[in-house]
Amino acid sequence: MQTSFIQKHLNILDYALSSLLRRKLKNGGIALIFSLVIFLLASFQFLTQSLETTAEKVLVFAPDITLQRLSAGRQVSLPDSSIGSLAGIFGIRQIIPRVWGYHFDEKNGANYTILGLPADSIQKAEVSLSHGRLPQKKKPGEVVISSSVRASLELGERKSFTLFRSDLSQASFTVVGIFTDNTDILTGDTILMNLQDARDLFRLGDGMVTDLAVSVTNPAETDTIAAKISGIMPDTRILTNSQIRKTYRTVFGWRSGFGSVCLLTALASFVILAWDKASGLSQEEKREIAILKFLGFQINDILALRFWESIAVACVSFLLGLTLAYIHVAFFEGSLFTPILLGWSVLRPSLNLDPAVTFADLLLVFSYSVLPYLAATIIPAWRSAVIRAETII
Amino acid sequence: MIIECEKLAKTYWTDDKEVPAVHNVDLQVAAGDFVVILGHSGSGKTTLLSLIGGLTSPANGSVRINGIDNWERDDRYISTLRNKTIGFIFQFASLIPTLTSLENLLLPLYFGSANNIHREHALHLLEQVGLADKASAYPSQLSGGQQRRIAIARAFMNKPDIILADEPTGDLDEETEKEILDLFRQQNEKGVTFLVVTHNSNLAKNQISPRILHMKQGVLSEEGR
């Protein structure tokens, strides 16, 4: 009984496939458009997942806690002597004073992230360079930049460049190293330099920094230590690594969600098209169904036939769309959607994304695409199954 | 009686006008009969076959096959009846273009479980209609007459009790027509009931004891009455 049921459906599937192949143009067209819609949806999902994964990997190197002073709700610089007031908190492994700010390069129209660290900290930092070395102590003006910044500054073979200070005087720098592209999501627009050089560029007073980067001995204690810092320095904003991760996830998730909603319009259009195509049976198709009914095929059999046809189109499109989306994200860095997900900054990081695909993503894309398609073809399938054979013949 | 029609009627609507296609037809066909219904086109012959074959529902009256009223049963019953009990031969070849001759023959079993025994039976039928060498040919590679012979062979595939044939030899040459009518006779001798509608009065001549009926404007009458 069971074998007969399986055999019956294998036969129906076999027939459905030959039927689809017979109308290559119509079904191929539908499958192509469907694949495109799935490709767009899946690209968004895969890219979001990959960005989150990449951000997670990069944030491993970020400080456990970042301290910024606020005045009137705005961030202001703070003296690096504040470190002393935190010395009594048990569990802090290291506190690094930083100058972290943005510098707008009018000439190139680019916004660079300037990161100034004490020379000792730079040497100890786990920074990956594609070539060169890190800035050294007592060698003012040495910087590490990303390949994107290098291209933006149009350095070519040169190693020196200048940036304007706020008083329009020029500060000179020498490139001694280039960041690896693996961390481009964070370092794509970064210029890393000695703390004093950053102070000089931003015209910060001696001993002033923009924030303090705190490392803790036990990451599980981060929130407790953050609370203690807050008690000692109530005028500071305290950002923990987990908060930053959460923010990344939220931002990418929100942008992806927004993009997906826009793509749902495309999906809706496709479903209408699928409905239309499934409803508009040609005379040849009607004649074929009539023949099948003459030969004793039941309404259920015709429904099963149409269902298998839809499943076949949906599966081929789903696999094709997913494969293209994976290739798009893995080999082309999701270039179609990175502007939406990362923002339209002038210096867009050249990403080396680790393609990350979860079962939940696949299920989501499946639910958004294949299920509506199958639903859209049910009623037309029923209408074709109840065709009155004698009126066709 | 294997087929019983009682006060069977069917009307169609054309341009808001009611056209009676079959009018109060009473017909009893015994198992093993060879019934030929002669009539011009438009006389209602094809509609009568559709009613008996359960393809269209009557406006009035009833059709009983083996004593059971078709229209008191559901789609499943009628479909099974068409698949197992009745073999249809249409006015046209009615083959599926993407299937080979052999696959077209196996089509009534396609949604069942076609196996090697069925395959052998199909090949035997192809031999009987003189197309044993065309088992792998697609309909587009066959002439109109050959396609028709494949469709006729298919009607016998499920070893039906009844054959309903609509102009079965319409576009066949004389020699092929004779072969087909011989096949009909052989099957009839085995006990298969035939109900053939045609305007070709020669069709009955080849059979042993045909029962000839006439149909005109939806009304059926027995020859000699």
Side-chain angles (χ1 to χ4, degrees):
Chain A
M1 179 72 181
Q2 203 172 9
T3 314
S4 152
F5 177 82
I6 293 168
Q7 185 61 49
K8 175 180 173 174
H9 278 271
L10 282 175
N11 287 343
I12 294 175
L13 178 61
D14 183 37
Y15 188 85
L17 292 177
S18 75
S19 174
L20 284 174
L21 287 175
R22 201 174 333 137
R23 288 177 276 274
K24 283 188 207 83
L25 202 65
K26 177 182 170 181
N27 295 309
I30 288 178
L32 201 68
I33 298 170
F34 197 18
S35 301
L36 183 68
V37 174
I38 291 172
F39 160 73
L40 295 174
L41 277 171
S43 286
F44 246 93
Q45 280 309 121
F46 292 174
L47 187 57
T48 306
Q49 194 64 41
S50 299
L51 284 170
E52 282 178 15
T53 308
T54 307
E56 287 283 333
K57 278 186 181 173
V58 173
L59 283 168
V60 168
F61 302 110
D64 297 317
I65 301 170
T66 306
L67 260 70
Q68 295 169 340
R69 172 167 286 173
L70 296 179
S71 175
R74 314 288 291 183
Q75 188 191 343
V76 294
S77 54
L78 72 163
D80 56 8
S81 57
S82 310
I83 294 171
S85 58
L86 304 177
I89 300 176
F90 185 76
I92 291 180
R93 182 163 53 89
Q94 186 185 30
I95 303 174
I96 300 172
R98 306 190 307 184
V99 170
W100 186 11
Y102 299 104
H103 184 281
F104 182 64
D105 181 3
E106 280 191 48
K107 186 184 163 207
N108 300 307
N111 221 6
Y112 305 128
T113 297
I114 307 293
L115 180 59
L117 296 174
D120 295 344
S121 302
I122 291 177
Q123 295 302 324
K124 286 179 199 163
E126 295 174 37
V127 178
S128 305
L129 300 181
S130 63
H131 54 270
R133 60 171 176 78
L134 292 164
Q136 289 179 345
K137 202 174 184 179
K138 294 178 183 170
K139 287 200 173 172
E142 288 190 345
V143 294
V144 173
I145 60 175
S146 69
S147 47
S148 305
V149 173
R150 184 181 182 177
S152 170
L153 290 168
E154 298 171 354
L155 288 182
E157 292 304 308
R158 288 183 295 118
K159 290 192 180 298
S160 301
F161 66 94
T162 58
L163 295 175
F164 284 103
R165 298 187 185 93
S166 54
D167 60 4
L168 297 183
S169 62
Q170 288 190 311
S172 298
F173 298 96
T174 305
V175 178
V176 293
I178 302 290
F179 289 118
T180 173
D181 287 344
N182 292 337
T183 56
D184 234 12
I185 193 168
L186 284 188
T187 60
D189 61 351
T190 301
I191 302 176
L192 175 66
M193 59 183 69
N194 279 313
L195 189 60
Q196 193 51 44
D197 291 333
R199 281 187 185 126
D200 175 52
L201 181 64
F202 290 126
R203 285 295 191 216
L204 291 176
D206 277 348
M208 298 304 283
V209 293
T210 57
D211 52 40
L212 302 175
V214 179
S215 303
V216 300
T217 313
N218 178 7
E221 297 279 340
T222 305
D223 289 338
T224 313
I225 293 169
K228 284 180 183 172
I229 294 172
S230 179
I232 295 170
M233 298 173 69
D235 58 345
T236 51
R237 173 166 57 196
I238 299 163
L239 299 168
T240 62
N241 193 313
S242 63
Q243 282 174 328
I244 296 171
R245 283 165 200 250
K246 212 178 285 177
T247 306
Y248 268 101
R249 275 200 296 271
T250 307
V251 168
F252 289 147
W254 182 87
R255 285 175 177 172
S256 167
F258 179 75
S260 298
V261 166
C262 294
L263 287 175
L264 285 181
T265 314
L267 181 68
S269 308
F270 171 73
V271 166
I272 292 167
L273 174 81
W275 170 287
D276 187 51
K277 288 285 173 194
S279 306
L281 290 178
S282 67
Q283 198 56 31
E284 187 201 340
E285 288 170 293
K286 286 180 183 171
R287 192 164 173 265
E288 185 179 323
I289 291 170
I291 291 168
L292 296 179
K293 293 190 84 172
F294 269 114
L295 294 176
F297 290 17
Q298 298 169 27
I299 289 173
N300 285 349
D301 297 331
I302 309 285
L303 271 176
L305 173 65
R306 306 295 289 188
F307 183 70
W308 279 118
E309 282 180 2
S310 299
I311 289 270
V313 169
C315 284
V316 167
S317 307
F318 188 66
L319 290 176
L320 184 64
L322 285 189
T323 309
L324 289 176
Y326 187 84
I327 292 170
H328 176 220
V329 174
F331 301 105
F332 296 94
E333 293 162 0
S335 52
L336 282 178
F337 297 124
T338 37
I340 300 167
L341 287 167
L342 293 180
W344 280 267
S345 77
V346 175
L347 279 190
R348 218 176 289 131
S350 64
L351 296 167
N352 274 326
L353 292 173
D354 290 329
V357 181
T358 64
F359 179 72
D361 286 333
L362 297 179
L363 197 64
L364 190 74
V365 175
F366 184 85
S367 311
Y368 274 7
S369 55
V370 175
L371 294 186
Y373 174 75
L374 292 179
T377 53
I378 284 175
I379 293 175
W382 173 259
R383 281 161 61 178
S384 72
V386 296
I387 277 176
R388 287 174 57 199
E390 83 283 3
T391 61
I392 308 299
I393 306 290
Chain B
M1 291 294 159
I2 195 165
I3 303 171
E4 290 171 279
C5 302
E6 194 180 337
K7 302 276 180 221
L8 195 60
K10 181 74 182 176
T11 50
Y12 288 118
W13 287 87
T14 321
D15 299 330
D16 293 334
K17 274 167 56 183
E18 194 178 3
V19 181
V22 172
H23 185 66
N24 284 344
V25 167
D26 289 316
L27 173 68
Q28 280 85 40
V29 179
D33 273 3
F34 195 106
V35 179
V36 178
I37 299 175
L38 293 169
H40 297 295
S41 60
S43 59
K45 308 186 300 285
T46 302
T47 305
L48 180 62
L49 278 197
S50 295
L51 287 164
I52 293 170
L55 290 165
T56 189
S57 57
N60 276 307
S62 64
V63 179
R64 286 193 188 83
I65 305 288
N66 288 324
I68 297 169
D69 189 339
N70 284 355
W71 296 101
E72 283 179 357
R73 299 301 181 101
D74 58 6
D75 173 65
R76 189 191 179 96
Y77 176 81
I78 297 173
S79 299
T80 307
L81 188 78
R82 285 201 294 266
N83 190 252
K84 308 277 186 209
T85 311
I86 300 172
F88 279 96
I89 298 170
F90 309 105
Q91 287 185 46
F92 59 95
S94 70
L95 300 181
I96 304 292
T98 47
L99 302 180
T100 64
S101 302
L102 183 63
E103 288 165 343
N104 264 292
L105 248 70
L106 291 167
L107 196 56
L109 300 161
Y110 225 81
F111 287 16
S113 50
N115 56 34
N116 284 336
I117 298 168
H118 297 125
R119 212 166 282 271
E120 280 170 24
H121 179 51
L123 288 169
H124 176 65
L125 284 170
L126 280 176
E127 204 177 305
Q128 282 192 292
V129 295
L131 293 171
D133 57 334
K134 302 287 182 188
S136 308
Y138 286 93
S140 58
Q141 297 166 317
L142 302 171
S143 69
Q146 287 173 325
Q147 288 184 37
R148 171 60 70 96
R149 281 145 71 189
I150 301 283
I152 289 170
R154 186 179 61 194
F156 293 100
M157 192 57 217
N158 265 341
K159 299 179 181 168
D161 297 331
I162 303 166
I163 289 285
L164 301 179
D166 191 355
E167 300 288 2
T169 57
D171 50 6
L172 298 180
D173 57 61
E174 240 174 83
E175 195 183 335
T176 314
E177 181 182 299
K178 190 177 173 306
E179 281 173 17
I180 296 301
L181 294 179
D182 283 347
L183 173 67
F184 282 9
R185 196 182 61 235
Q186 285 165 26
Q187 294 291 330
N188 187 223
E189 282 169 357
K190 287 179 186 171
V192 177
T193 307
F194 279 76
L195 186 58
V196 182
V197 299
T198 181
H199 62 268
N200 178 4
S201 52
N202 290 330
L203 200 145
K205 289 178 185 167
N206 209 35
Q207 306 306 319
I208 299 166
S209 54
R211 183 178 156 201
I212 298 172
L213 297 115
H214 290 270
M215 193 146 191
K216 193 175 180 184
Q217 291 179 329
V219 178
L220 191 68
S221 58
E222 189 113 27
E223 193 167 63
R225 283 188 186 175

